[in-house]
Amino acid sequence: MTGPGRAGAGEGDEIGVLVVEDDPLAAEAHGRYVERVPGFAVRGIAHSAAEARRVLARTPVDLLLLDLYLPDGHGLALLRALRAAGHGADVIAVTSARDLAVVREGVSLGVVQHVLKPFAFATLRDRLVRYAAFRTVAGEAGGQDEVDRALAALRAPGPAALPKGMSGPTLAAVIRVLRAAGGAGLTAAEAGTEAGISRITARRYLEHLVETGRAERSPRYGHVGRPEHGYRWLPENPAAP
């Protein structure tokens, strides 16, 4: 797309991003995520639709990282207004919205990807890298295959296979109890008791969540003997790998 909302190939050919997110901590996390991906640069952060309009009036961007639930209106209402004003920046919706009707409407307005909260850095990185690959496609397609390959750059791969011996339902159970524990976190023994599995099994799944950037591990002191490890869910931690 082109238009006044598009920065084009300036600024060292970096893809300029506006983060639109009402939660200040989440906005900062998303901005840090973007800055960690080579070829992308944050041009601004807005916490409301009105602030997003003000930023776009003075700063050209290529891509909006757009939360759909803003304090002064729905993100798609903002997007409709921007399109009517001639802004052509692409959009990655970053949201907890799971209504597929909203997803369809977003696609019609130029939403190229949807990323559901909570997510790890690797998820957003994958979407940004795919978007960057899509932007490099130029010239005239020689046939349907080339068109399909160009569009395939935007499509995320299927769910990554779990390590051998792990199951989706058990992982979901561990995630559920870990998220329910909040900032206090859980030890492997506590997680196992809550999820109805052994401590050893729980520890394996917890370590998998640490490795994939969805949880953090830290020592717990205060007990006799070796300190235990505590695990805490990280829904939006900018330090997640």
Side-chain angles (χ1 to χ4, degrees):
M1 293 182 181
T2 59
R6 242 356 227 268
E11 310 259 4
D13 288 340
E14 289 179 319
I15 296 172
V17 180
L18 172 62
V19 176
V20 185
E21 165 64 58
D22 68 321
D23 184 327
L25 292 178
E28 181 183 2
H30 297 167
R32 291 183 182 178
Y33 280 166
V34 171
E35 293 285 357
R36 290 173 62 187
V37 182
F40 288 83
V42 175
R43 303 287 184 230
I45 292 179
H47 301 299
S48 67
E51 189 177 356
R53 291 189 188 95
R54 289 194 294 271
V55 173
L56 288 170
R58 64 177 185 269
T59 306
V61 302
D62 300 290
L63 179 68
L64 272 65
L65 211 57
L66 178 64
D67 182 20
L68 296 188
Y69 296 123
L70 299 171
D72 54 350
H74 197 279
L76 293 186
L78 167 63
L79 188 51
R80 282 193 294 271
L82 293 176
R83 294 296 184 244
H87 288 279
D90 293 319
V91 176
I92 293 179
V94 179
T95 178
S96 57
R98 287 165 167 77
D99 186 342
L100 292 180
V102 173
V103 172
R104 288 195 299 271
E105 183 179 0
V107 170
S108 72
L109 291 169
V111 175
V112 296
Q113 294 275 11
H114 279 77
V115 180
L116 292 180
K117 299 177 181 177
F119 59 89
F121 165 65
T123 299
L124 183 59
R125 177 183 58 195
D126 174 78
R127 301 311 190 272
L128 292 176
V129 168
R130 288 175 174 276
Y131 170 70
F134 175 72
R135 279 174 57 92
T136 64
V137 176
E140 184 173 343
Q144 184 66 50
D145 288 347
E146 289 187 31
V147 173
D148 292 343
R149 282 195 296 271
L151 293 175
L154 285 173
R155 291 198 289 269
L162 289 172
K164 185 177 180 180
M166 287 191 179
S167 74
T170 302
L171 179 61
V174 173
I175 290 174
R176 183 179 65 252
V177 300
L178 191 61
R179 293 183 67 179
L186 295 170
T187 64
E190 293 167 340
T193 298
E194 292 291 328
I197 56 179
S198 72
R199 177 184 63 81
I200 293 175
T201 299
R203 183 171 180 270
R204 186 177 180 212
Y205 281 86
L206 290 165
E207 289 294 329
H208 172 72
L209 292 174
V210 171
E211 291 169 4
T212 56
R214 288 178 283 177
E216 72 170 359
R217 179 198 327 108
S218 59
R220 279 192 178 183
Y221 300 99
H223 301 283
V224 178
R226 296 179 60 186
E228 291 185 283
H229 284 123
Y231 298 86
R232 183 171 69 87
W233 179 252
L234 290 178
E236 304 247 34
N237 192 318

